[in-house]
């Protein structure tokens, strides 16, 4: 009798636990996605940093699942975020560049995420979710006119948008050296000076009789000089007004933006969105402007870290994460919210001001932002929390991708993935819950722009993670680990080295990519290279030609596409008022 009673009790307990677990999974959770900008994997305490305090992000990791091999699909903002939003390699959507412009440069460019791409926000919207984006977009705004909003977040499945349609730049902060096409601006200014000097020389020679030329020629050269100067200075001379703006839905609210209150405004908007939609379900994508240069940090956090201005900026972002997580607790939403934290790519090693480092730390991993193949540019933090559904304190070493968020959240929302296109991401729930021990990814392809630089092979039967580099950037100075003196390492041309045979590493034994293998040192060398070569051929057969959104024409500034809160070119407004005293 006792055995029968015990068996019935265990069966009943198992039934109710399974029932409650299934009910939790089957219901539509709120989805909260945090994405940092340019944050290195080594900048967070739970990934080994002991000089920058990130208690809120660390607490998130302790209460959930931490991924140690979470990989961005690109090492720069625009293509990485396009892949994150669509679950597809950026080369499939035209968001991978074959020229030196690998990210969108202007609000008034015509390139951006194509309207025929289906974001996870669109699919969740169709499942009854209220969708919001707070922060950085960097996927374009307009196509043919200043008000068509073809690339705008509201045209890609978001019900609400508040934030920056482009990205932060040094130009957004007064007295900072410009970083938008700085070398080109210097050349244009030099050319303008040369033409002006020629005009002055001709005029002086004519007046003194030393040069015999017609006044018409001098007037024509003067007009050409004036038109040349106006043509480039009308864009580069007013970057702060053209690019550094805030929008609420389709309306410009600050032009130029006031950086002193931007962090507070972003936090206020995120909190307001959650409060408005607490009865859910909602999707909130908090796309931080932190920790991209110029690292503007409010006075409350200046000088508080042990890692200079960069550390101050990281700690301010962590505080913002904590405020939003506290609200979930307060509103009773914590256990019904699937929360995710990551960075769009690795830290920016070349971001410096003299001897001060303004970019992130990528831990033990080689390289950084802008480097398509090296781990430091693409390996990022990946943290998930869903109390009662995901096991707390779990660490997973399997290869995963930012593209996996797409099928994961669509699955949680009860949606169906598009059948008319290739989706490169994989649903992470079996792995996160412990129902699967291996990642669904066998191969991951690492692009730099539209150029394939490296390929990762997850050999599941042995546990090896092979990685072959076909192209690597030339570091400057040699051995420095970055391209100092340049904004980013190039993807092609004289600034890269092609490898035949490719450089091969086993990341399971050498995660720092310090010791390349060869046929002499690795018996499986030829087998691995052959397997990866065949995978590349199969991958390329799945690619179809699409318009390049980052072509030079699509990237350049077009005044007729400029978002403006006044009458162009008199674009200035401040519709926020004094919004600093909010928390």
């Amino acid at each position: 009798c006792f055995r029968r009673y015990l068996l019935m009790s265990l069966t009943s307990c198992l039934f109710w636990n399974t029932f409650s677990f299934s009910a939790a999974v089957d219901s539509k959770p709120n989805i909260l996605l945090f994405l940092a900008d340019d944050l290195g994997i080594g900048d967070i305490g739970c990934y080994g940093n002991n000089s920058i305090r990130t208690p809120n992000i660390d607490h998130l990791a302790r209460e959930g699942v931490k991924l140690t091999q979470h990989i961005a699909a690109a090492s720069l903002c625009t293509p990485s975020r396009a892949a994150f939003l669509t679950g597809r390699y950026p080369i499939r959507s035209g968001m991978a560049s074959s020229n030196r412009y690998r990210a969108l440069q202007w609000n008034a460019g015509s390139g951006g995420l194509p309207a025929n791409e289906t974001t996870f926000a669109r699919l969740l919207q169709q499942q009854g979710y209220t969708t919001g984006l707070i922060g950085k977009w960097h996927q374009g705004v307009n196509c043919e006119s200043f008000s068509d909003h073809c690339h705008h977040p509201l045209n890609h499945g978001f019900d609400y948008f508040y934030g920056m349609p482009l990205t932060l730049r040094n130009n957004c902060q007064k007295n900072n050296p410009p970083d938008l096409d700085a070398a080109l601006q210097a050349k244009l200014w030099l050319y303008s000076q040369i033409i002006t000097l020629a005009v002055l020389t001709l005029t002086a020679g004519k007046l003194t009789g030393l040069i015999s030329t017609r006044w018409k020629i001098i007037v024509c050269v003067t007009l050409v000089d004036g038109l040349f100067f106006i043509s480039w200075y009308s864009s580069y001379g007013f970057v702060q007004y053209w690019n550094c703006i805030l929008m609420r839905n389709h309306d410009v609210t600050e032009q130029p933006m006031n950086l002193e209150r931007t962090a507070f405004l972003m936090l206020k908007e995120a909190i307001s969105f959650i409060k408005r939609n607490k009865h859910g379900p909602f999707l909130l994508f908090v796309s931080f402007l932190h920790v991209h240069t110029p690292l503007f940090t409010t006075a409350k956090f200046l000088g508080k870290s042990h890692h200079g201005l960069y550390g101050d900026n990281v700690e301010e972002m962590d505080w913002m994460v904590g405020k939003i997580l506290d609200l979930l607790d307060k509103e009773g939403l914590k256990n019904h919210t699937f929360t995710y934290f990551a960075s769009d790519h690795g830290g920016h090693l070349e971001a410096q001001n003299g001897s001060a480092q303004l970019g992130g730390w990528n831990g033990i991993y080689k390289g950084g932002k802008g480097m398509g193949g090296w781990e430091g540019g693409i390996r990022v933090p990946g943290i998930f929390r869903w109390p009662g559904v995901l096991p707390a304190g779990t660490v997973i070493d399997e290869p995963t991708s930012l593209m996996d968020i797409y099928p994961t959240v669509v699955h949680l929302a009860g949606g169906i993935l598009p059948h008319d296109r290739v989706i490169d991401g994989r649903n992470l729930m079996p792995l996160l819950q412990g129902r699967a021990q291996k990642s669904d990814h066998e191969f991951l392809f690492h692009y730099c722009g539209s150029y394939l630089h490296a390929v990762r092979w997850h050999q599941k039967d042995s546990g090896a993670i092979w990685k072959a580099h076909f192209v690597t950037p030339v570091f400057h100075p040699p051995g420095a680990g970055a391209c100092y003196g340049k904004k980013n390492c190039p993807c092609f041309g004289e600034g890269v080295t092609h490898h035949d045979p490719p450089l091969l590493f086993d990341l399971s034994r050498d995660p720092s990519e310090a010791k390349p293998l060869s046929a002499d040192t690795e018996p499986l060398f030829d087998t691995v290279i052959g397997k990866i070569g065949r995978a590349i051929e199969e991958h390329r057969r799945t690619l179809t030609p699409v318009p390049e959104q980052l072509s030079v024409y699509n990237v350049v500034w077009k005044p007729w596409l400029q978002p403006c809160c006044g009458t162009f070119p008199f674009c200035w407004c401040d519709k926020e008022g004094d919004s600093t005293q909010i928390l």
Side-chain angles (χ1 to χ4, degrees), residues 557-580:
W557 184 70
K558 302 175 180 68
W560 59 91
L561 299 183
Q562 179 62 50
C564 181
C565 60
T567 302
F568 184 84
F570 304 105
C571 301
W572 181 91
C573 66
D574 180 0
K575 299 179 182 179
E576 297 297 344
D578 184 9
S579 301
T580 58

Side-chain angles (χ1 to χ4, degrees), residues 118-255:
T118 304
T119 67
F120 57 69
R122 174 72 69 202
L123 294 180
L124 266 65
Q125 195 179 51
Q126 294 170 359
Q127 294 301 311
Y129 276 72
T130 302
T131 57
L133 167 59
I134 309 296
K136 172 175 173 173
W137 174 236
H138 211 181
Q139 298 295 300
V141 182
N142 299 312
C143 289
E144 298 179 355
S145 73
F146 72 92
S147 60
D148 65 35
H149 301 123
C150 66
H151 302 306
H152 191 278
L154 267 60
N155 201 41
H156 279 293
F158 289 99
D159 296 308
Y160 183 76
F161 168 62
Y162 181 85
M164 199 174 185
L166 199 65
T167 184
L168 280 177
R169 293 202 177 273
N170 280 353
N171 308 71
C172 296
Q173 189 172 3
K174 293 179 180 178
N175 304 320
N176 261 4
D179 64 347
L180 177 59
D181 275 342
L184 178 59
Q185 286 187 64
K187 287 182 181 179
L188 293 171
W189 177 237
L190 176 62
Y191 297 154
S192 295
Q193 290 176 308
I194 292 173
I195 297 173
T196 300
L197 182 61
V199 169
L200 293 175
T201 301
L202 287 172
T203 302
K206 178 67 174 178
L207 293 174
T208 59
L210 296 176
I211 298 177
S212 177
T213 186
R214 295 181 179 181
W215 281 110
K216 287 184 179 180
I217 294 176
I218 296 175
V219 171
C220 287
V221 174
T222 302
L223 289 173
V224 169
D225 182 31
L227 290 172
F228 176 72
F229 177 77
I230 292 171
S231 68
W232 71 266
Y233 192 77
S234 62
S235 56
Y236 289 110
F238 299 92
V239 171
Q240 189 178 17
Y241 285 85
W242 303 152
N243 279 353
C244 307
I245 69 174
L246 291 180
M247 298 182 75
R248 176 177 284 106
N249 295 328
H250 292 146
D251 299 324
V252 178
T253 61
E254 279 191 2
Q255 193 168 13

Side-chain angles (χ1 to χ4, degrees), residues 376-442:
I378 56 178
R379 192 182 288 223
V380 298
I383 299 170
F384 297 82
R385 185 187 75 176
W386 188 5
V389 178
L390 302 183
T394 303
V395 177
I396 295 176
D397 298 324
E398 291 290 295
T400 57
S401 170
L402 264 70
M403 296 184 292
D404 296 339
I405 301 307
Y406 185 97
T408 301
V409 298
V410 171
H411 166 76
L412 294 176
I416 299 174
L417 295 177
H419 296 298
D420 61 345
R421 65 200 64 195
V422 176
I423 301 297
D424 298 297
R426 300 291 184 265
N427 178 14
L428 287 176
M429 286 306 292
L431 188 66
L432 296 177
Q433 292 177 309
R435 293 183 286 117
Q437 301 304 312
K438 297 293 183 181
S439 165
D440 275 351
H441 289 289
E442 184 176 11

Side-chain angles (χ1 to χ4, degrees), residues 263-278:
F264 289 99
L265 289 173
M266 298 300 167
L267 181 55
K268 183 183 77 169
E269 289 287 338
I271 287 175
S272 177
F273 181 88
I274 293 174
K275 287 182 176 179
R276 290 196 310 269
N277 299 287
K278 61 184 178 182

Side-chain angles (χ1 to χ4, degrees), residues 18 48 54 64 68 107 121 220 226 261 282 343 406 422 466 518 533:
T18 303
T54 55
T68 63
N107 281 320
C220 287
R261 65 189 183 197
F282 66 76
S343 177
Y406 185 97
V422 176
W466 304 101
S518 67

Side-chain angles (χ1 to χ4, degrees), residues 1 79 162 197 237 256 282 300 317 352 355 403 438 501 508:
C1 293
Y162 181 85
L197 182 61
F282 66 76
K300 178 180 178 181
M317 178 188 68
Q352 295 179 316
S355 60
M403 296 184 292
K438 297 293 183 181
S508 61

